[in-house]
Amino acid sequence: MTQATEKNLLDVSDLHVAYGKVEALTGIDLTLKEGKLVTVIGPNGAGKTTLLSAIMGILPSKGTIHFNGQDFICPNVETLVGHGLGLVPEKRELFSTMTVQDNLLLGAFQRYRRGDKSYNQTLNEIYELFPRLWERRQQQAGTLSGGERQMLAIGRAMMSKPKLLMLDEPSLGLAPLITREIFRIFTDLRSQGVSILLVEQNARAALKVADYAYVLEGGQVAMQGPASELANDPKVIEAYLGLASKHQELLSS
Amino acid sequence: MNFQIATLLGQDGLTNGAIYALLALSILLVFTVTRILLIPLGEFVTFGALTMAAMQMGKTPKLEWLLLGLVLIDCALDVYQQIKRHIDRNKMKMIALKLGYAVIIIALLNNLSLSEIPMIAQIALTLCLIVPIGPIIYRLFFQPLADAPALVLLIVSIALHVTMVGVGLLLFGPEGARTQPFSDTGFRLGAVMLKSQTLWVILVSIFLIVALFIAFERTLYGKALRATAVNRMGARLQGISPIFAGKATFALAAFIGSASGILIAPITTLYYDSGFIISLKGFVGAIIGGLVSYPIAAIGAVAVGMIEAFSIFWASNYKEIIVFTLIIPFLIWRSMNSHNVEDDE
Ligand SMILES: Nc1ncnc2c1ncn2[C@@H]1O[C@H](COP(=O)(O)OP(=O)(O)OP(=O)(O)O)[C@@H](O)[C@H]1O
Ligand SMILES: [Mg+2]
């Protein structure tokens, strides 16, 4: 079992992404071991969303992406979804004119296609996790509140039972209590064996739940290490963790 | 105009309107899912009608060569791509299946005495011959352009329409054709005789519309197509490939187009180039629905059929003009009401 958990589920090496002539990522190396929760933090515009998009095959990239025992060179999104990669994108990309329930069911499209009939059970699990979605299951996704939309996006991604779930700022716009709830769900998921790659602005919370962390700056990995070590690193505290309190001091003075 | 004439015209209007409604729905379906305005839809109508007519005259429909040619090009491209990347056994099996299908259909067409088999078999063969052409056309001409701007897609669509009219002339010749009605009986409704084919058209259209509705509301595959129309990236992230969606909608459009052709062939004489005007009227219906609303498009299309029928009575020379002028107030109204729906998440 130890051997299995030590397997690299995701292995990204020397990843380059450019928007036209502007390079947004310049040589990223990142690994994620099976069953781990890895977080990527960094300032606005560091390239976190770009990184997730490139891994997912939404953006063309240079470099190699090794996922679940296979090499993918510029793969397409659908293939990766079929291999067990899931993404909650920054823009959420919900089906706004369809009901909450349809949105969730469509998350299981690949499973349905493969003939896996157990998706209804997953649906119930997700309703248990987010009772709000159950209450609103016949409502159009476009009319949900911001926080409900986040829950729907996360729930929809979980419907495909991905091996690796990538989340782009899942706590954006959520009330503190729900944020805590969502982070708890991530630790639960990890204990069920789902690996997670988490991009977060809420660095403090992310470092608390993560096993390993990367700090991205200007399209490069500026720092990396076990999350607990980074959480105590003076540079990280200065730049990401202390920021909020310092900011508040400034505001109140 | 007396009551009897009015019911006769109403009957014609309803029959045509039902067909326009079917075409409007497929134009809308293809447009929302793929952003392509399917101008060649009318050619599927004529292909369907003329293939039926050829069979009933005991001729082997030459359309088989089009199917064979397209399948061969399609498979050749598949093989080329396999060699370029890596060989996938499942894909190879698919290629073999496609070739086998084409061969079986052609063998059936050449060995059955087509004019003697029951009409239902003729219909089935016609559909089996034409429906696969839809997805292959998508794959050959539109799939490589998936990210192209809508204007490019429109130009390709027009080119395809012109080409298919030419192919129609080549394969079916310039003569018009009509087929036998599905059944010979007529119905009496009060003082009016209803042609049985009229009933067939209306019933089958309603059946197809309801079936489409159920498929899109109730099945996950139908929902997946709708999802692609609503949010393409969102759909891709659930593993719903736009290629799959494109091929599926083109297959549906080819099916509805050729089925419409089969339905109206006993009522109107169709020529190789009659399809365009017919699908254009479906298109007017789709425009009335703003290219988004299915029910409004269907109602609009039925209205087009009605207006057409009654304008034959009052001003038959101007009937096309009247029908197509209809589009103008709707376009003005639409453009005044439209607000840019750019990206809703
Ligand atoms: N489509 C695009 N065209 C050009 N430049 C882009 C595009 N998308 C992103 N960029 C640029 O690439 C850089 C990285 O963007 P990215 O969205 O990955 O940042 P991020 O780390 O996710 O930031 P945030 O924390 O604000 O979400 C930014 O400078 C951004 O302006
Ligand atoms: Mg971002």
Side-chain angles (χ1 to χ4, degrees):
Chain A
M1 206 51 213
T2 44
Q3 216 176 9
T5 49
E6 284 305 299
K7 206 177 85 186
N8 279 353
L9 183 61
L10 178 72
D11 208 333
V12 173
S13 62
D14 199 27
L15 192 74
H16 289 257
V17 178
Y19 292 109
K21 283 206 173 105
V22 189
E23 286 231 302
L25 294 183
T26 48
I28 302 270
D29 296 309
L30 182 147
T31 53
L32 188 149
K33 292 198 172 29
E34 205 162 309
K36 298 287 179 196
L37 200 165
V38 172
T39 183
V40 176
I41 54 176
N44 291 128
K48 304 180 296 294
T49 300
T50 308
L51 174 65
L52 293 193
S53 306
I55 295 175
M56 198 68 213
I58 298 169
L59 289 173
S61 59
K62 268 185 273 167
T64 57
I65 296 167
H66 186 85
F67 173 66
N68 197 24
Q70 274 188 51
D71 272 325
F72 294 94
I73 298 151
C74 245
N76 68 21
V77 181
E78 302 85 49
T79 319
L80 285 169
V81 175
H83 280 90
L85 194 57
L87 171 68
V88 177
E90 195 171 35
K91 289 192 182 135
R92 306 305 174 230
E93 313 281 10
L94 297 175
F95 306 120
S96 50
T97 53
M98 301 174 82
T99 62
V100 167
Q101 175 131 333
D102 283 352
N103 269 271
L104 288 174
L105 284 174
L106 282 164
F109 179 75
Q110 284 275 353
R111 289 171 68 191
Y112 179 81
R113 215 176 164 181
R114 279 198 299 265
D116 174 356
K117 297 282 176 223
S118 63
Y119 61 89
N120 270 321
Q121 198 192 330
T122 319
L123 184 65
N124 290 335
E125 284 168 23
I126 285 166
Y127 281 145
E128 247 164 63
L129 218 54
F130 302 108
R132 265 312 249 279
L133 295 182
W134 166 254
E135 287 163 27
R136 316 239 154 218
R137 64 190 178 283
Q138 295 307 335
Q139 193 175 327
Q140 284 203 347
T143 61
L144 292 177
S145 82
E148 287 163 349
R149 267 189 249 189
Q150 309 282 59
M151 296 177 203
L152 181 55
I154 296 169
R156 187 180 65 173
M158 283 163 58
M159 280 296 288
S160 68
K161 284 217 163 170
K163 288 199 186 74
L164 171 58
L165 181 59
M166 304 196 289
L167 302 120
D168 201 343
E169 306 197 17
S171 71
L172 196 74
L174 289 183
L177 263 181
I178 306 282
T179 306
R180 216 188 307 158
E181 184 69 4
I182 280 188
F183 275 91
R184 202 187 47 76
I185 288 169
F186 296 155
T187 35
D188 275 4
L189 277 178
R190 186 190 43 175
S191 62
Q192 289 166 24
V194 181
S195 318
I196 295 176
L197 183 59
L198 176 66
V199 163
E200 257 300 334
Q201 289 295 341
N202 193 339
R204 197 182 298 274
L207 288 176
K208 207 178 273 169
V209 293
D211 299 298
Y212 200 84
Y214 290 84
V215 179
L216 221 59
E217 266 170 33
Q220 277 171 327
V221 177
M223 265 181 277
Q224 58 173 296
S228 50
E229 278 175 31
L230 276 194
N232 295 321
D233 188 300
K235 273 187 284 180
V236 175
I237 293 175
E238 162 99 41
Y240 301 102
L241 302 179
L243 205 64
S245 46
K246 233 186 224 167
H247 184 65
Q248 258 141 28
E249 269 167 40
L250 276 177
L251 279 180
S252 54
S253 71
Chain B
M1 173 182 289
N2 60 26
F3 175 72
Q4 198 167 354
I5 293 179
T7 32
L8 273 180
L9 292 177
Q11 199 186 127
D12 277 358
L14 210 58
T15 325
N16 291 342
I19 294 294
Y20 300 155
L22 277 178
L23 297 179
L25 293 185
S26 28
I27 288 174
L28 213 55
L29 176 68
V30 172
F31 181 75
T32 50
V33 174
T34 64
R35 299 177 303 128
I36 298 165
L37 268 181
L38 190 61
I39 295 170
L41 180 61
E43 275 56 71
F44 287 107
V45 177
T46 43
F47 282 10
L50 295 175
T51 305
M52 271 301 273
M55 283 191 192
Q56 295 189 347
M57 284 186 283
K59 288 190 278 189
T60 312
K62 291 214 193 85
L63 201 66
E64 62 184 9
W65 301 120
L66 182 65
L67 178 71
L68 185 67
L70 287 174
V71 168
L72 284 179
I73 298 173
D74 182 39
C75 290
L77 278 176
D78 276 353
V79 170
Y80 175 71
Q81 275 171 355
Q82 299 271 305
I83 292 170
K84 233 173 58 177
R85 290 201 203 143
H86 59 278
I87 293 180
D88 182 339
R89 292 195 55 179
N90 281 337
K91 290 225 174 102
M92 281 304 192
K93 247 189 236 160
M94 272 308 291
I95 294 174
L97 274 178
K98 281 192 244 180
L99 285 172
Y101 178 86
V103 169
I104 289 174
I105 292 291
I106 288 173
L108 281 177
L109 286 175
N110 284 291
N111 292 316
L112 293 171
S113 52
L114 293 171
S115 57
E116 279 146 37
I117 56 176
M119 191 178 286
I120 184 86
Q122 291 171 342
I123 293 174
L125 267 177
T126 305
L127 292 174
C128 287
L129 185 58
I130 299 179
V131 172
I133 293 177
I136 301 180
I137 282 182
Y138 177 80
R139 187 236 196 268
L140 294 181
F141 302 104
F142 292 106
Q143 187 178 316
L145 299 172
D147 298 320
L151 186 62
V152 174
L153 297 177
L154 181 64
I155 292 169
V156 174
S157 186
I158 292 172
L160 204 60
H161 155 68
V162 175
T163 317
M164 281 175 72
V165 172
V167 169
L169 177 60
L170 196 69
L171 296 179
F172 298 107
E175 306 87 25
R178 223 178 231 246
T179 59
Q180 295 145 16
F182 293 2
S183 53
D184 287 323
T185 45
F187 296 87
R188 185 163 281 282
L189 197 83
V192 215
M193 262 313 259
L194 283 182
K195 282 172 274 175
S196 68
Q197 190 65 25
T198 307
L199 278 183
W200 275 110
V201 172
I202 295 171
L203 289 181
V204 174
S205 305
I206 292 175
F207 170 77
L208 285 178
I209 290 173
V210 171
L212 275 181
F213 177 79
I214 292 173
F216 277 79
E217 286 297 317
R218 298 268 179 273
T219 71
L220 201 56
Y221 275 100
K223 285 175 186 169
L225 290 185
R226 266 167 64 209
T228 308
V230 175
N231 187 329
R232 183 168 282 264
M233 180 47 73
R236 293 187 68 192
L237 287 172
Q238 315 316 314
I240 304 163
S241 132
I243 295 173
F244 153 78
K247 284 184 179 167
T249 46
F250 267 63
L252 262 176
F255 172 75
I256 292 178
S258 44
S260 308
I262 295 170
L263 281 172
I264 52 167
I267 304 176
T268 19
T269 308
L270 289 177
Y271 298 83
Y272 69 96
D273 61 351
S274 316
F276 182 59
I277 286 288
I278 299 175
S279 68
L280 207 55
K281 286 172 190 157
F283 179 66
V284 174
I287 289 282
I288 293 174
L291 282 176
V292 280
S293 162
Y294 287 82
I296 299 179
I299 293 166
V302 173
V304 169
M306 284 295 186
I307 290 167
E308 184 189 15
F310 281 88
S311 53
I312 290 177
F313 182 75
W314 279 304
S316 75
N317 287 341
Y318 299 106
K319 85 171 197 201
E320 311 291 11
I321 299 178
I322 292 173
V323 168
F324 291 120
T325 316
L326 244 181
I327 211 173
I328 295 172
F330 277 102
L331 282 179
I332 294 174
W333 179 62
R334 283 279 166 200
S335 62
M336 285 197 307
N337 283 321
S338 77
H339 48 277
N340 281 339
V341 262
E342 260 162 24
D343 47 359
D344 49 350
E345 307 188 339

